[in-house]
Amino acid sequence: MMDLFGLLHLDELSHGLANLSMFPYFDMAHYIVSVMSLREQPGALQVSRTSPLACWFSSMLFCFGGAVLSGIMLAEPPVAPLSNSTSILLASIIWYLVFYCPMDLVYCCAALLPLRLVLSGMKEVTRTWKVLGGVTQAYGKYNDSLLVMIAIGWARGAGGGLISNFEQLVRGVWKPETNELLKMSYPTKITLIGAVLFTLQQTHYLPLQKQHLMLIYTVFTVVNKSRMMLTGSSTSPFAPIESAIYKTLFSGSSPYTALTTDVKEGNIDNGTTNRMTSTTATKESSKNVAAGKGKSRSLKAKEESENAEATNYKKTE
């Protein structure tokens, strides 16, 4: 693999990428894209007008959710990410400009496709550093546990999505069906894959140097994110593989499934029979009522005719 990187003259590029500083430009791009994602959530703009504090807190969870979640999982203070005053101040300024800038200039400019494409690509670069930082942080404490390293790397890179239900509660929204574990989005999936790869590399199960894996993973995420934005597609590139694995391993039939199906069909048949019976009974009762009404009308007419004849007879007498 090293010979291939040397042949393609990518070794220097991988070293340069590994030594790239995320502050301030890449962090700014991450904050802008994160706050814009919050603003585009249903009802978020209304919350920003009625409760700016709740809106600000939600924005900080979008920006620093990964660090907060990984800190909780490692039994560290969850407020530790908020101790970096420079990052908090920068994220707060971006939050204010995205939500409250006069004439919405900042949001409208950042929403332009060319600029948003660049910002999203820079955010994907920060994802690599976040996943790697989480794996490295967990390796320092649990160097013999692959699962812990994968979990911390995943939480560090996709924490904003994993704690989305808590963030929604801050805005007064409760949608448990949007849980990322029930239906994972593309960023959550790609972050999990990155956490697995960097964990295998960290424990020497993957024969790759760290900077080379960083370059491969970063290029893949940036290119694929740009493709999805340009084509307007939300389909994951792993969809065919996921479908094949699901059909092979997790869609098998069982006696319980067949029994459940039979019970459901029986309930449906019973419900249909009951509805037909009730409909027939209703029709019969309607006929009986109509017949009763008809009989009462005929009796009444007969009585009236008898009364009329009796009256005429009396008049005749």
Side-chain angles (χ1 to χ4, degrees):
M1 182 62 69
M2 291 185 61
D3 295 338
L4 178 60
F5 273 82
L7 182 63
L8 298 176
H9 304 287
L10 297 177
D11 196 53
E12 293 183 1
L13 179 61
S14 61
H15 281 284
L17 181 65
N19 296 325
L20 189 63
S21 176
M22 294 292 102
F23 185 83
Y25 302 111
F26 287 89
D27 285 342
M28 286 179 61
H30 167 66
Y31 299 151
I32 292 173
V33 174
S34 299
V35 176
M36 289 179 64
S37 299
L38 170 62
R39 174 175 169 144
E40 292 165 357
Q41 297 293 318
L45 197 58
Q46 288 75 10
V47 172
S48 68
R49 302 298 185 261
T50 57
S51 179
L53 181 60
C55 181
W56 175 83
F57 192 73
S58 296
S59 299
M60 296 305 104
L61 289 178
F62 262 77
C63 295
F64 304 100
V68 172
L69 182 59
S70 62
I72 294 174
M73 294 174 67
L74 290 173
E76 295 180 354
V79 295
L82 305 180
S83 62
N84 190 337
S85 302
T86 305
S87 298
I88 293 295
L89 179 61
L90 181 60
S92 299
I93 292 174
I94 291 174
W95 159 76
Y96 183 83
L97 292 176
V98 169
F99 276 96
Y100 303 103
C101 180
M103 301 177 64
D104 254 355
L105 290 177
V106 173
Y107 176 78
C108 292
C109 292
L112 295 174
L113 182 59
L115 184 55
R116 189 158 191 171
L117 199 64
V118 174
L119 294 174
S120 299
M122 294 174 71
K123 176 181 171 62
E124 293 302 317
V125 175
T126 64
R127 189 185 305 278
T128 302
W129 267 253
K130 292 178 185 299
V131 175
L132 178 59
V135 171
T136 305
Q137 183 182 10
Y139 181 77
K141 295 184 176 182
Y142 305 95
N143 54 9
D144 58 344
S145 177
L146 295 177
L147 183 59
V148 173
M149 287 187 280
I150 292 173
I152 300 302
W154 188 29
R156 189 70 175 270
L162 294 174
I163 63 172
S164 59
N165 289 112
F166 176 71
E167 181 276 325
Q168 289 171 357
L169 283 177
V170 175
R171 295 187 284 114
V173 180
W174 174 241
K175 293 182 178 180
E177 67 275 6
T178 61
N179 192 327
E180 282 287 334
L181 296 179
L182 294 177
K183 188 177 181 180
M184 288 196 294
S185 60
Y186 166 74
T188 305
K189 292 178 183 178
I190 195 65
T191 304
L192 178 59
I193 293 173
V196 173
L197 293 176
F198 282 109
T199 298
L200 295 178
Q201 190 280 326
Q202 187 74 35
T203 52
H204 307 290
Y205 287 102
L206 187 64
L208 267 179
Q209 292 190 14
K210 183 182 296 183
Q211 64 270 16
H212 294 164
L213 181 58
M214 291 175 66
L215 178 62
I216 295 173
Y217 181 74
T218 303
V219 170
F220 176 80
T221 55
V222 172
V223 170
N224 196 61
K225 182 66 175 180
S226 301
R227 178 194 64 82
M228 293 174 68
M229 292 182 65
L230 290 174
T231 59
S233 172
S234 58
T235 305
S236 171
F238 310 108
I241 302 176
E242 293 173 5
S243 178
I245 294 176
Y246 176 80
K247 291 179 180 179
T248 303
L249 301 178
F250 303 107
S251 64
S253 60
S254 63
Y256 175 75
T257 305
L259 179 61
T260 305
T261 304
D262 294 338
V263 170
K264 288 182 178 179
E265 291 178 353
N267 291 334
I268 292 173
D269 293 339
N270 292 334
T272 305
T273 305
N274 293 333
R275 284 195 297 270
M276 292 175 64
T277 304
S278 62
T279 303
T280 305
T282 303
K283 289 181 178 179
E284 290 179 355
S285 62
S286 300
K287 290 181 179 178
N288 293 333
V289 171
K293 289 182 179 179
K295 289 181 180 179
S296 62
R297 289 197 191 98
S298 61
L299 290 174
K300 187 175 181 181
K302 185 176 181 181
E303 290 177 358
E304 289 178 353
S305 62
E306 290 177 355
N307 292 333
E309 289 177 358
T311 303
N312 293 334
Y313 180 74
K314 287 181 180 180
K315 287 181 180 180
T316 305
E317 288 181 350

